[in-house]
Amino acid sequence: MSEPIFREAYGRIVATLIRLTGDWTLAEDCAMDAVEAALQRWPRDGEPANPGGWLMTVARNRAVDQLRRAAVAERRLRELAPLEQPRPEPEGDDRLRLIFTCCHPALAMESRVALTLRTVAGVPTAQIARLFLVGEPAMAKRLTRAKAKIAQARIPYRVPSGPALTERLPGVLAVLYLLFTNGYDSSPERADEAIWLVRLLAQLMPDEPEVTALLALCLLQHSRRAARRDEGGELVTLDAQDRSRWDHAGIAEAVGLLAGRPVTGPYAVQAHIAAGHAIATDFAATDWPTIAAWYDQLARIHPSPVVEVNRAVAHGYAHGPAAGLGLLATVREAVAGYAPALAAEADLTARAGDPAAAAGLFRRAAELAGSDAERRALRKRAAAAGQLALGDAE
């Protein structure tokens, strides 16, 4: 079974079975049973014409069988019986219902995000644990506790309305954006899935600026996916990307979504920053003063060390490398051990005329990089700065 088929089917199966049975563990177990059945049968019998439908049918049948064997009440069996015959799906999408359930305020934010990643996107527990910098057993316990709390608190499986919808929105947006960023580089299909869910939320809340802004932000970031790596799979920095390979239709849609809408929150500001990069015909044409001003606003409404690093880079290009290095110095302790911060300092140091120091910073950043591709890219930049330093010495 291909990974895209798994990603597409898993979340749908789990969400639908949770709606029908109210049993999170049963839903996940039956989804995995269906996947295991496919791994056994498809190599022998061939992949079915509708892989997702096949998996859904097998998972539903497993759920019916397990409930029958467990002698579940007749009411629940009557609710599940129609599953054995095709029927129209309820209005909306079960995955969106599942996201709002996972994002209930009764759960801690990390639990909301982790639970949605696991149940909606099918992200392995080990990968979620790495994302949160905890061990896999600890993350497994956290997921179990979150599901138990949903059951004990009788959290409803639905999309809320009225004030509750507005109250729950920030958590949902955070989950959807993390779903997108989780797949942005390693899994374009997962990023596509997140964008689809954001579109669905935008239909539900067409007058909510931050929902529209998140859709625009995802579209703008995703527009560069074809140019972010070269033919050998190595990362390509923004200044060296072939902009003809960008998704200009997606960029146009995103810019249109932002036009005339108020900037009320961090997603809108980030979307305008991304748009500033996307509409530039080349790197030299980037309107860095405007982007730096947007980062100033983002730092005011959504302060964080990561924002300050990016703000320093923007100011370094808008007002000179010394300005950027000065801003970085104010958060150096907060970002100690953060590879992008060292890489930013290295880039600004090279532009300030000290390639030898820049080479050392790039090497230190490479040691802290989170992926092999990032490590290779930083080592390549370190080598280039080192060569420049040698040339200056001669």
Side-chain angles (χ1 to χ4, degrees):
M1 179 195 305
S2 67
E3 192 173 354
I5 290 175
F6 171 81
R7 291 198 197 100
E8 171 62 26
Y10 183 86
R12 288 184 182 275
I13 293 170
V14 171
T16 298
L17 292 183
I18 289 174
R19 172 173 58 83
L20 294 165
T21 69
D23 189 325
W24 291 65
T25 301
L26 176 65
E28 291 181 288
D29 288 347
C30 290
M32 290 310 302
D33 285 349
V35 170
E36 290 175 6
L39 292 174
Q40 293 175 5
R41 297 183 191 179
W42 292 3
R44 181 189 67 221
D45 302 335
E47 186 176 298
N50 182 3
W54 189 98
L55 289 165
M56 182 69 80
T57 298
V58 171
R60 285 173 167 177
N61 290 341
R62 293 292 173 89
V64 172
D65 291 343
Q66 289 195 34
L67 288 172
R68 281 176 174 156
R69 285 197 298 269
V72 175
E74 279 299 315
R75 178 186 59 80
R76 186 167 292 179
L77 284 175
R78 284 197 300 271
E79 291 174 355
L80 284 168
L83 293 176
E84 298 173 1
Q85 300 296 328
R87 66 169 186 165
E89 290 295 325
E91 184 179 353
D93 188 279
D94 282 325
R95 288 171 294 179
L96 192 58
R97 293 183 180 91
L98 181 56
I99 287 174
F100 270 97
T101 304
C102 292
C103 294
H104 195 278
L107 301 175
M109 176 59 80
E110 286 191 353
S111 295
R112 303 178 209 175
V113 174
L115 192 59
T116 305
L117 285 170
R118 182 70 194 98
T119 57
V120 179
V123 179
T125 302
Q127 186 174 337
I128 301 172
R130 289 195 297 272
L131 181 67
F132 285 95
L133 304 178
V134 299
E136 184 176 355
M139 179 54 65
K141 290 180 181 178
R142 185 179 300 178
L143 290 168
T144 299
R145 287 195 298 269
K147 288 184 283 189
K149 189 164 188 175
I150 288 173
Q152 293 165 3
R154 298 184 181 275
I155 293 174
Y157 187 67
R158 66 170 182 262
V159 179
S161 59
L165 184 58
T166 302
E167 178 185 329
R168 299 260 297 278
L169 182 60
V172 172
L173 294 178
V175 168
L176 291 177
Y177 191 45
L178 187 54
L179 282 172
F180 172 78
T181 55
N182 178 262
Y184 173 61
D185 184 43
S186 60
S187 173
E189 294 84 2
R190 186 168 293 157
D192 287 335
E193 181 76 359
I195 291 173
W196 188 90
L197 286 168
V198 178
R199 285 190 187 279
L200 191 61
L201 187 60
Q203 293 172 15
L204 179 68
M205 305 182 70
D207 298 323
E208 174 52 56
E210 277 290 83
V211 177
T212 304
L214 178 58
L215 177 57
L217 176 60
C218 292
L219 288 171
L220 288 164
Q221 292 182 341
H222 208 42
S223 70
R224 301 195 296 268
R225 64 189 180 279
R228 291 188 70 247
R229 292 179 180 268
D230 60 22
E231 294 181 355
E234 299 300 321
L235 290 173
V236 180
T237 54
L238 182 62
D239 60 309
Q241 288 179 13
D242 179 358
R243 300 190 178 210
S244 68
R245 300 182 64 197
W246 288 6
D247 177 9
H248 293 282
I251 292 171
E253 180 186 357
V255 171
L257 289 170
L258 295 174
R261 287 186 173 265
V263 178
T264 60
Y267 293 110
V269 176
Q270 290 176 81
H272 279 281
I273 291 170
H277 290 294
I279 63 176
T281 54
D282 55 38
F283 189 76
T286 304
D287 185 355
W288 285 107
T290 297
I291 290 177
W294 280 120
Y295 270 116
D296 291 343
Q297 183 170 344
L298 184 61
R300 287 193 296 271
I301 66 175
H302 192 66
S304 78
V306 173
V307 169
E308 289 297 336
V309 170
N310 292 327
R311 176 172 172 249
V313 172
H315 276 269
Y317 277 97
H319 308 298
L325 287 169
L327 289 174
L328 270 182
T330 65
V331 293
R332 182 168 285 115
E333 289 186 8
V335 296
Y338 181 54
L342 282 170
E345 184 178 358
D347 180 69
L348 291 167
T349 299
R351 294 179 53 239
D354 192 347
L361 289 166
F362 276 128
R363 284 192 292 270
R364 287 171 55 197
E367 293 173 358
L368 298 169
S371 71
D372 290 340
E374 292 174 358
R375 193 169 297 110
R376 289 192 297 269
L378 289 167
R379 286 172 177 167
K380 184 177 179 180
R381 297 189 71 182
Q387 288 295 323
L388 184 60
L390 288 175
D392 290 345
E394 294 174 358

